[in-house]
Amino acid sequence: MAVCTGCSLLCDDIEVTLESGRIARTKNLCRKGLGRFRSLYSERASPRADGSEVDVGDAISRAAEILSGAKRPLLFGWSNSTLEAQQAGIALARKLGGVIDDTSSFCQGPLMELVIRGQMPTGTLDDVRNFGDTLIYWGSDPTSSHPRHMSRFSYFPRGEKLQKGFEEDRTAFAVDVRESPTAKIVADGYFQIPPGGDAEFIEAILSVLDGKMPKVQDKKRMISFVTTLKKAKMGFIFPGLGLVYSLKDRLDLFSQLVARLNEGVPFRVIPMVGHYNMRGFNQTLFEQTGGINQVSFADGEARRGQENGIISALDSCDAALVVGSDPVSSLPAAFARKLAKIPVVVMDPHRNLTADLARVVIPTALSGLEAGGAALRMDGVRVELAPVVEGASPSDAEVLARIREVV
Amino acid sequence: MAELSVLVVTFRDIFQSEAQEAGRYGEEYRKASALILLDRGDADRAGIKDGSAVTVASDAGSVVVNAGVDQESHPGVAFMPNSPWSNQLVSGQVGPSKIPEFKRIEARLSSASGPVLKIEELLLGIVQG
């Protein structure tokens, strides 16, 4: 069985048939996972330095030169790398006295931080399958982002205590601005809110919990919803970017809601992190430095601060190493322009926009398919990855170790 | 067409994710990304046909994408798959959280000022910008 690194579910039941060393057939992959497996054979990166094709060794030397010559290098990416590569990346940042950050910085970071610090009750996806009878997909659409979430863990499967599955034993809700495919599945459990309306929706739930009338259009429906939540044997909330981006500095309101629900029944939170090992990076950096992202090692000491998050750091960093990420695609153009102005080194299995403007490109193995290692699933469960095929490129961890040797 | 003001919310789409994995330089990824989904009433009022190209402009920038007309009703709100096309519209101004406004972009739609750009052309705009 192979593990799919297409998202943070890390599905470990993928059957692969090889023919002449190439993947010929697979079973159990979702559409997104199939895309990840097929990407083995499309748009692969090739080694480049200063506009010329070079060999990997020369690309690594040039990368080391750029990074050691920088006063404040930014080491960014990491959510699509193994735990081993993340550890090697943190060691390199430490040696360079640089700044290290990952995509969680403008993604699920604020919520993940609460989970990792133990300030938000959480559980595993196996708990969800076995005991999760009341589910809220909030600002998330697993059908699109984590396609097997509902079938392997949360809604459709039978569980230890939920032998009748979604037909009788599970009740699911979706809170979203868009009637997503997930919202359509939960049907009557869908609450449509206006963009930015999450805080108001939380306040409405809190009102009902306080025995007051909620300030929403359909008061009866809201009261019935909260009554269901109060009867949960084991509730789970799956917050997506919709909730995090909407609340931003008001995440305490969400914490307040979860705490209130837990006064009556157990309610757990599993953030719907996108990339396969974002949680791994956050946890690894937290264990080593006390910060889940946005850490600087200047002057040999680890310091956490917003100035080290990519959004702010692009104003102060004078070079960047980007590993397994494409910030030129994923950042607003205003920030991508800032990245385009400094020397960039890219380590990635594929060609992407950041690689196209980079001064150095080092092709790497596609983890889980061409390189092994380990990763943390969205719920923190460790999953071992074993290579399925032989690739031509070194792993992230190997390249990072080689750069570290020469900087 | 008449100008139309909408609040743009970005989202993730599984077909777009698959296309991105297969190749972000491909036509399939461009089709799945350079897209704005409109409420039917909004589209009718502004005279926007399903599949027609429109310019979407915010205070941060503008981009030409294809319009789609949704089955679901969401007047005043438009949805765009999160991509380098939608990122042309996201402001570079951030609040105390330092998280950009990916999901609340005030935008105006008008007749297309040109073709839907290829991803390489968007990159050129970023490099030259």
Side-chain angles (χ1 to χ4, degrees):
Chain A
M1 293 286 177
V3 174
C4 174
T5 58
C7 77
S8 59
L9 291 181
L10 291 168
C11 293
D12 57 1
D13 60 349
I14 312 304
E15 293 178 28
V16 178
T17 308
L18 298 178
E19 278 174 13
S20 310
R22 285 174 66 95
I23 293 178
R25 278 178 302 282
T26 58
K27 274 188 186 167
N28 296 337
L29 283 170
C30 69
R31 182 174 285 278
K32 200 170 168 181
L34 184 62
R36 174 64 51 106
F37 273 55
R38 281 186 175 154
S39 80
L40 260 176
Y41 308 115
S42 66
E43 291 183 355
R44 296 304 298 258
S46 50
R48 225 180 56 232
D50 303 308
S52 305
E53 294 268 329
V54 294
D55 65 29
V56 171
D58 287 342
I60 290 174
S61 303
R62 183 72 183 110
E65 222 173 82
I66 289 171
L67 294 172
S68 50
K71 287 194 182 107
R72 187 171 146 86
L74 168 66
L75 284 71
F76 179 81
W78 310 112
S79 305
N80 274 314
S81 301
T82 60
L83 290 171
E84 292 76 6
Q86 292 167 350
Q87 278 153 3
I90 296 167
L92 177 62
R94 207 183 278 275
K95 189 169 183 188
L96 288 167
V99 168
I100 192 159
D101 191 32
D102 79 319
T103 41
S104 71
S105 198
F106 58 97
C107 178
Q108 289 271 16
L111 195 53
M112 186 47 79
E113 177 154 16
L114 296 175
V115 169
I116 289 178
R117 287 186 183 280
Q119 294 164 352
M120 181 71 75
T122 192
T124 67
L125 290 170
D126 305 283
D127 293 338
V128 178
R129 185 178 52 232
N130 288 321
F131 313 112
D133 64 342
T134 307
L135 317 167
I136 309 176
Y137 305 99
W138 197 322
S140 65
D141 173 23
T143 302
S144 301
S145 60
H146 301 77
R148 297 182 69 202
H149 189 282
M150 294 179 96
S151 60
R152 283 188 71 209
F153 299 108
S154 63
Y155 188 54
F156 295 110
R158 274 76 179 110
E160 194 181 310
K161 299 281 181 197
L162 303 165
Q163 286 296 312
K164 291 174 184 166
F166 74 101
E167 304 97 315
E168 292 182 36
D169 287 344
R170 294 188 206 267
T171 309
F173 300 95
V175 183
D176 210 320
V177 299
R178 179 174 159 260
E179 196 179 342
S180 66
T182 301
K184 285 177 183 159
I185 290 173
V186 307
D188 293 343
Y190 170 50
F191 285 88
Q192 186 164 30
I193 56 169
D198 300 77
E200 203 175 49
F201 194 77
I202 291 174
E203 279 160 358
I205 300 175
L206 289 171
S207 288
V208 179
L209 288 171
D210 284 339
K212 297 177 193 158
M213 286 304 270
K215 289 177 189 164
V216 287
Q217 281 183 346
D218 194 339
K219 295 177 174 54
K220 202 173 154 192
R221 187 167 179 236
M222 194 56 143
I223 292 166
S224 157
F225 168 52
V226 177
T227 305
T228 306
L229 301 187
K230 282 163 72 178
K231 285 182 186 162
K233 288 198 178 76
M234 174 71 83
F236 280 89
I237 305 177
F238 306 106
L241 285 176
L243 178 68
V244 177
Y245 285 171
S246 172
L247 289 180
K248 290 211 173 112
D249 304 316
R250 300 188 64 194
L251 261 186
D252 57 310
L253 199 56
F254 182 65
S255 298
Q256 197 186 326
L257 170 67
V258 174
R260 281 298 309 277
L261 288 169
N262 274 281
E263 285 173 11
V265 291
F267 247 94
R268 308 284 184 250
V269 176
I270 304 181
M272 299 287 280
V273 300
H275 300 302
Y276 87 83
N277 202 19
M278 195 190 93
R279 170 121 191 202
F281 177 76
N282 293 150
Q283 201 133 341
T284 305
L285 192 64
F286 178 75
E287 281 159 13
Q288 293 198 20
T289 69
I292 66 152
N293 55 20
Q294 307 181 344
V295 167
S296 163
F297 290 103
D299 310 320
E301 209 176 306
R303 284 194 191 84
R304 171 99 191 282
Q306 272 189 336
E307 69 280 9
N308 305 317
I310 187 166
I311 294 296
S312 302
L314 285 172
D315 289 324
S316 58
C317 287
D318 53 351
L321 169 67
V322 177
V323 181
S325 183
D326 185 12
V328 173
S329 281
S330 57
L331 285 173
F335 298 103
R337 279 184 210 110
K338 292 182 186 182
L339 189 60
K341 287 187 169 55
I342 59 174
V344 175
V345 174
V346 162
M347 290 170 50
D348 205 285
H350 296 106
R351 180 188 168 201
N352 62 36
L353 296 192
T354 311
D356 277 359
L357 61 72
R359 204 163 286 183
V360 177
V361 178
I362 306 168
T364 52
L366 197 54
S367 45
L369 286 169
E370 296 171 319
L376 299 188
R377 211 165 65 174
M378 62 157 67
D379 56 354
V381 169
R382 184 184 166 102
V383 177
E384 301 294 331
L385 314 174
V388 175
V389 293
E390 207 170 307
S393 300
S395 70
D396 289 338
E398 286 165 341
V399 173
L400 290 162
R402 284 172 68 182
I403 294 176
R404 190 165 155 242
E405 272 170 25
V406 289
V407 291
Chain B
M1 65 168 275
E3 199 170 280
L4 174 68
S5 292
V6 289
L7 192 61
V8 172
V9 178
T10 59
F11 71 103
R12 263 80 177 166
D13 170 72
I14 187 171
F15 295 95
Q16 184 215 15
S17 298
E18 185 197 20
Q20 178 178 323
E21 292 284 352
R24 70 177 71 216
Y25 296 86
E27 185 54 24
E28 210 179 317
Y29 179 62
R30 182 165 70 136
K31 267 191 189 165
S33 302
L35 184 67
I36 187 161
L37 298 172
L38 301 171
D39 172 75
R40 179 169 294 283
D42 287 347
D44 287 348
R45 265 191 302 284
I48 299 169
K49 289 203 178 92
D50 193 48
S52 62
V54 291
T55 294
V56 188
S58 71
D59 288 348
S62 70
V63 68
V64 177
V65 296
N66 290 316
V69 178
D70 252 341
Q71 297 300 315
E72 299 81 22
S73 165
H74 46 84
V77 177
F79 298 109
M80 287 181 82
N82 183 276
S83 78
W85 284 267
S86 66
N87 275 331
Q88 303 297 310
L89 305 171
V90 184
S91 174
Q93 306 293 319
V94 288
S97 69
K98 305 287 180 196
I99 295 178
E101 282 286 7
F102 289 101
K103 285 184 179 279
R104 283 178 85 180
I105 309 162
E106 285 179 17
R108 303 163 298 281
L109 270 67
S110 55
S111 301
S113 55
V116 175
L117 293 183
K118 290 182 177 169
I119 200 164
E120 295 92 334
E121 294 167 325
L122 286 180
L123 179 65
L124 199 62
I126 287 167
V127 173
Q128 291 172 344

